[in-house]
Amino acid sequence: MNNIIALVDCNNFYASCERVFNPDLEGKPIIVLSNNDGCVVARSNEAKALGIPFGKPVFECKELIKNHHIYVFSSNYALYGDMSHRVMDTLAQFTPDMEIYSIDEAFLSLKGFYKRNLTKYGQKIRSTVNKWIGIPVSIGIATTKTLTKVANRIAKKNHKLDGVLDISYYSEVEIDKILNETEIGDVWGVGWEYEKLLKRNGITTALKLKNASDKWIKKHMTVMGLRTVFELRGISCISLEDTTPPNEEIMSSRSFGRPVETLEELKEAVATYATLSSERLRAQNSLASIINVFLATNRFKKDEPQYSNCISYEIPEPTNDTSELINYANKNLEKIYKTGYKYKKAGVLLSGIVPKNQKQLNLFTNRTRSNKKNKLTQAIDTINTKWGRNIIHYAGTGIEQSWQMRRMKKSQNYTTQWDEIPIIKSKYPEK
DNA sequence: TCTGGGGTCCTAGGACCC
DNA sequence: TCTGGGGTCCTAGGACCC
């Protein structure tokens, strides 16, 4: 029996999240900025129509923002993450098998839903998410993941479709017609570099890619490219992953809100990132055996002296303990830190990640001490989970953290902070 | 003044071994 | 003129995704 997959994708997710709690913004242009209020990472349809491109530095859009009264938000990941959970919980009601692909997308397996046309089912999913969570979604249904992406794009763009397009029962001729109208750069798996390469070789549409020579594709785009081609032909090569394997790398890094020069401040930042990483490591029940620390100056400032470096350190005994990781991070930072530079960014990358129960024991470890540490870490995690992130933290992460990223226009944490939940005003005066 | 963050997979090429 | 051959493992870097 053929695979049938639906791709549910939230429309302009971050912008839509902001709109849920600011219904006045319906129909108005909204943009959401990246960390540090740097680039535009989400746009409402109205903002897209005004010609604001994805990834544009916000200072280059100043005029447009002013002239068209565009509403600007800093990113509020606590809000988006929570809204994402709600959307995914809702979607889970419609299928036993689904893969949460990103914060705003999920693949739903509709295998065994014996219907020629699943458009109606898609509509039901769509209206339910909209009604329960307030987020608009688009749905593409097809026989391979790559084709669901194609269908989803069209569903999103073509307003006559009402947000759902099912091509799972289309004939090859009908599918080819759609692929012929899909630009090569819009194909899932074809990024910027491959788009250039393919166009140079006359492959300008998804249909031409589908009909390209296997040998040529394999040579120039590796087996990944070949997989994409097969998927366009309706041969499923990328399966639905309904369990999330633990991460093999965990990275925490941020650009600073201002240039940072002193080792002391860099240490605070790196300790903060080590803390974040170790929390994520513990959440997936893993240990890290390698810690990488990196730092860099602002590469856009051509006239300033540039320096960037990274260092990799093998941890004697794999760990997920915050204080240990802070310690390793700071020691290694010292090795690559140089005075006289204005640093823009630093980070910590944990790798060599192994499951906790596969720990390779070290002969010389003091067991009693490490058990005590475990209990301390557990206590800190419990308190922080209950009372809010960072209620308790290591002194090494700093108190003021004046290097922290800028988030000048962040909305409230409407769904995750008691003191920030939305207040509904009664239209009747109080008695 | 101001340019994001966090992942995965694949391959080429070097190191090393017999 | 001539400089073995073949295998494995690891890493850096390049591509992609959102």
Side-chain angles (χ1 to χ4, degrees), chain A residues 202-240:
Chain A
I203 300 173
T204 50
T205 65
L207 181 61
K208 286 182 177 163
L209 181 62
K210 177 190 166 191
N211 294 326
S213 134
D214 291 7
K215 207 176 144 194
W216 190 89
I217 296 292
K218 168 100 194 282
K219 185 173 167 207
H220 292 95
M221 298 169 67
T222 83
V223 295
M224 302 294 278
L226 200 53
R227 231 175 262 176
T228 299
V229 171
F230 274 63
E231 287 243 322
L232 288 175
R233 295 176 188 161
I235 302 161
S236 180
C237 300
I238 307 170
S239 54
L240 200 94

Coordinates of all heavy atoms in Angstrom, one line a residue, chain A residues 202-240:
Chain A
G202 N 20.9 23.9 -16.8 CA 19.7 23.9 -17.5 C 18.5 23.3 -16.7 O 17.4 23.1 -17.3
I203 N 18.8 22.9 -15.5 CA 17.7 22.3 -14.7 C 17.1 23.4 -13.9 O 17.6 23.8 -12.8 CB 18.3 21.2 -13.8 CG1 18.9 20.1 -14.7 CG2 17.2 20.6 -12.9 CD1 19.6 19.0 -13.9
T204 N 15.9 23.9 -14.4 CA 15.4 25.1 -13.8 C 14.0 24.9 -13.1 O 13.6 25.7 -12.4 CB 15.1 26.2 -14.9 OG1 14.4 25.5 -15.9 CG2 16.4 26.7 -15.4
T205 N 13.5 23.7 -13.2 CA 12.2 23.4 -12.6 C 12.3 22.0 -11.9 O 13.2 21.2 -12.2 CB 11.1 23.3 -13.6 OG1 11.3 22.1 -14.4 CG2 10.9 24.5 -14.4
A206 N 11.4 21.8 -11.0 CA 11.3 20.5 -10.3 C 11.1 19.4 -11.3 O 11.7 18.3 -11.1 CB 10.2 20.5 -9.2
L207 N 10.4 19.6 -12.3 CA 10.1 18.6 -13.3 C 11.5 18.2 -14.0 O 11.7 17.0 -14.2 CB 9.1 19.0 -14.4 CG 8.8 18.0 -15.5 CD1 8.2 16.8 -14.9 CD2 7.9 18.6 -16.5
K208 N 12.3 19.2 -14.4 CA 13.5 18.9 -15.0 C 14.5 18.1 -14.0 O 15.2 17.2 -14.4 CB 14.2 20.2 -15.5 CG 13.5 20.7 -16.7 CD 14.2 22.0 -17.2 CE 13.6 22.4 -18.5 NZ 13.9 23.8 -18.8
L209 N 14.4 18.4 -12.8 CA 15.2 17.7 -11.8 C 14.7 16.2 -11.7 O 15.5 15.3 -11.6 CB 15.1 18.4 -10.4 CG 15.9 17.7 -9.3 CD1 17.4 17.8 -9.6 CD2 15.6 18.4 -7.9
K210 N 13.4 16.1 -11.7 CA 12.8 14.7 -11.6 C 13.3 13.9 -12.8 O 13.6 12.7 -12.6 CB 11.3 14.8 -11.7 CG 10.6 13.5 -11.7 CD 9.1 13.6 -12.1 CE 8.5 12.3 -12.4 NZ 7.2 12.4 -13.0
N211 N 13.5 14.5 -14.0 CA 13.9 13.7 -15.2 C 15.4 13.8 -15.4 O 15.9 13.3 -16.4 CB 13.2 14.3 -16.4 CG 11.7 14.0 -16.3 OD1 11.3 13.0 -15.8 ND2 10.9 15.0 -16.8
A212 N 16.2 14.3 -14.5 CA 17.6 14.4 -14.6 C 18.3 13.0 -14.6 O 17.7 12.0 -14.1 CB 18.2 15.3 -13.6
S213 N 19.5 12.9 -15.0 CA 20.2 11.7 -15.0 C 20.7 11.3 -13.6 O 21.3 12.1 -12.9 CB 21.4 11.8 -15.9 OG 22.6 11.2 -15.3
D214 N 20.4 10.1 -13.2 CA 20.8 9.7 -11.8 C 22.3 9.8 -11.6 O 22.7 10.3 -10.5 CB 20.4 8.2 -11.6 CG 18.9 7.9 -11.6 OD1 18.2 8.9 -11.8 OD2 18.5 6.8 -11.3
K215 N 23.0 9.4 -12.6 CA 24.5 9.4 -12.4 C 25.0 10.8 -12.2 O 25.8 11.1 -11.3 CB 25.1 8.8 -13.7 CG 26.4 8.2 -13.5 CD 26.9 7.5 -14.8 CE 28.4 7.7 -14.9 NZ 29.0 7.4 -16.2
W216 N 24.5 11.7 -13.0 CA 25.0 13.1 -12.9 C 24.6 13.7 -11.5 O 25.4 14.3 -10.8 CB 24.3 14.0 -14.0 CG 24.9 15.4 -14.1 CD1 26.0 15.7 -14.9 CD2 24.5 16.5 -13.4 NE1 26.2 17.1 -14.7 CE2 25.3 17.6 -13.8 CE3 23.4 16.8 -12.5 CZ2 25.2 18.9 -13.3 CZ3 23.3 18.1 -12.0 CH2 24.2 19.1 -12.4
I217 N 23.4 13.4 -11.1 CA 22.9 13.9 -9.8 C 23.8 13.4 -8.6 O 24.2 14.1 -7.8 CB 21.4 13.6 -9.5 CG1 20.5 14.3 -10.6 CG2 21.0 13.9 -8.1 CD1 20.5 15.8 -10.5
K218 N 24.0 12.1 -8.7 CA 24.8 11.4 -7.6 C 26.2 12.1 -7.6 O 26.7 12.3 -6.5 CB 24.9 9.9 -7.9 CG 25.9 9.2 -7.1 CD 25.2 8.4 -5.9 CE 26.3 8.0 -4.9 NZ 27.0 6.7 -5.3
K219 N 26.7 12.3 -8.7 CA 28.1 12.8 -8.8 C 28.1 14.2 -8.2 O 29.1 14.6 -7.4 CB 28.6 12.9 -10.2 CG 30.0 13.3 -10.4 CD 30.5 13.1 -11.8 CE 31.9 13.9 -11.9 NZ 32.2 14.3 -13.2
H220 N 27.2 15.1 -8.5 CA 27.2 16.5 -8.1 C 26.5 16.8 -6.9 O 26.7 17.8 -6.2 CB 26.7 17.4 -9.3 CG 27.6 17.4 -10.5 ND1 27.4 16.5 -11.6 CD2 28.8 18.1 -10.7 CE1 28.4 16.7 -12.5 NE2 29.2 17.6 -12.0
M221 N 25.5 16.0 -6.5 CA 24.7 16.3 -5.3 C 24.7 15.2 -4.3 O 23.8 15.2 -3.4 CB 23.3 16.7 -5.7 CG 23.2 17.9 -6.6 SD 21.6 18.1 -7.3 CE 20.6 18.5 -5.9
T222 N 25.6 14.3 -4.4 CA 25.7 13.1 -3.5 C 24.4 12.3 -3.4 O 23.4 12.6 -4.1 CB 26.1 13.5 -2.0 OG1 24.9 13.9 -1.3 CG2 27.2 14.6 -2.0
V223 N 24.4 11.3 -2.6 CA 23.2 10.5 -2.5 C 22.0 11.3 -2.0 O 20.8 10.9 -2.2 CB 23.4 9.3 -1.6 CG1 24.4 8.3 -2.2 CG2 23.8 9.7 -0.2
M224 N 22.2 12.3 -1.3 CA 21.1 13.2 -0.8 C 20.3 13.7 -1.9 O 19.1 13.7 -1.9 CB 21.7 14.3 0.1 CG 22.5 13.9 1.3 SD 21.5 12.9 2.5 CE 20.8 14.3 3.4
G225 N 21.1 14.2 -2.9 CA 20.4 14.8 -4.1 C 19.6 13.7 -4.8 O 18.5 14.0 -5.3
L226 N 20.2 12.5 -4.9 CA 19.5 11.5 -5.6 C 18.2 11.1 -4.9 O 17.2 10.8 -5.5 CB 20.5 10.2 -5.7 CG 20.1 9.2 -6.7 CD1 20.0 9.8 -8.1 CD2 21.2 8.1 -6.8
R227 N 18.3 11.1 -3.6 CA 17.1 10.9 -2.8 C 16.0 11.8 -3.1 O 14.8 11.4 -3.3 CB 17.5 11.0 -1.3 CG 17.1 9.9 -0.5 CD 17.6 10.0 0.9 NE 18.8 9.3 1.2 CZ 19.5 9.4 2.3 NH1 19.1 10.1 3.3 NH2 20.6 8.7 2.4
T228 N 16.3 13.1 -3.2 CA 15.4 14.1 -3.6 C 14.7 13.8 -4.9 O 13.5 13.9 -5.1 CB 16.0 15.5 -3.6 OG1 16.6 15.8 -2.4 CG2 15.1 16.6 -4.1
V229 N 15.6 13.4 -5.9 CA 15.1 13.1 -7.3 C 14.1 11.9 -7.2 O 13.0 12.0 -7.8 CB 16.2 12.8 -8.2 CG1 15.7 12.2 -9.5 CG2 17.1 14.0 -8.4
F230 N 14.5 10.9 -6.5 CA 13.6 9.7 -6.4 C 12.2 10.1 -5.7 O 11.2 9.7 -6.1 CB 14.2 8.6 -5.5 CG 15.1 7.7 -6.4 CD1 16.2 8.2 -7.0 CD2 14.8 6.4 -6.5 CE1 17.0 7.4 -7.8 CE2 15.6 5.5 -7.3 CZ 16.7 6.0 -7.9
E231 N 12.3 11.0 -4.7 CA 11.1 11.4 -4.0 C 10.2 12.2 -5.0 O 9.0 12.1 -4.9 CB 11.5 12.3 -2.8 CG 12.0 11.4 -1.7 CD 11.2 11.5 -0.4 OE1 10.6 12.6 -0.2 OE2 11.0 10.5 0.2
L232 N 10.8 13.0 -5.9 CA 10.0 13.7 -6.8 C 9.3 12.7 -7.8 O 8.2 13.0 -8.3 CB 10.8 14.7 -7.6 CG 11.3 15.9 -6.9 CD1 12.3 16.7 -7.8 CD2 10.2 16.8 -6.5
R233 N 9.9 11.6 -8.0 CA 9.3 10.5 -8.9 C 8.3 9.7 -8.1 O 7.8 8.8 -8.7 CB 10.4 9.6 -9.4 CG 11.4 10.3 -10.3 CD 12.5 9.4 -10.7 NE 13.6 10.1 -11.4 CZ 14.8 9.7 -11.6 NH1 15.2 8.5 -11.1 NH2 15.7 10.4 -12.3
G234 N 8.1 10.0 -6.9 CA 7.0 9.3 -6.1 C 7.6 8.1 -5.4 O 6.8 7.3 -4.9
I235 N 8.9 7.9 -5.4 CA 9.5 6.8 -4.7 C 10.0 7.3 -3.3 O 10.9 8.1 -3.2 CB 10.6 6.2 -5.5 CG1 10.1 5.8 -6.8 CG2 11.3 5.0 -4.7 CD1 11.2 5.6 -7.9
S236 N 9.3 6.8 -2.3 CA 9.6 7.4 -0.9 C 11.0 6.9 -0.4 O 11.3 5.7 -0.4 CB 8.5 6.9 0.0 OG 8.8 7.4 1.3
C237 N 11.9 7.8 -0.2 CA 13.2 7.5 0.3 C 13.5 8.1 1.7 O 14.5 7.8 2.3 CB 14.3 8.1 -0.6 SG 14.2 7.5 -2.3
I238 N 12.7 9.1 2.1 CA 12.9 9.7 3.4 C 11.7 9.3 4.3 O 10.6 9.8 4.0 CB 13.0 11.2 3.2 CG1 14.0 11.6 2.1 CG2 13.3 11.9 4.5 CD1 14.0 13.0 1.7
S239 N 12.0 8.5 5.2 CA 10.8 7.9 6.0 C 10.4 8.8 7.1 O 11.1 9.8 7.5 CB 11.2 6.5 6.5 OG 12.4 6.6 7.2
L240 N 9.3 8.5 7.6 CA 8.7 9.3 8.7 C 9.4 8.8 10.0 O 9.3 7.7 10.3 CB 7.2 9.0 8.7 CG 6.3 10.0 9.5 CD1 5.8 11.0 8.5 CD2 5.2 9.4 10.1

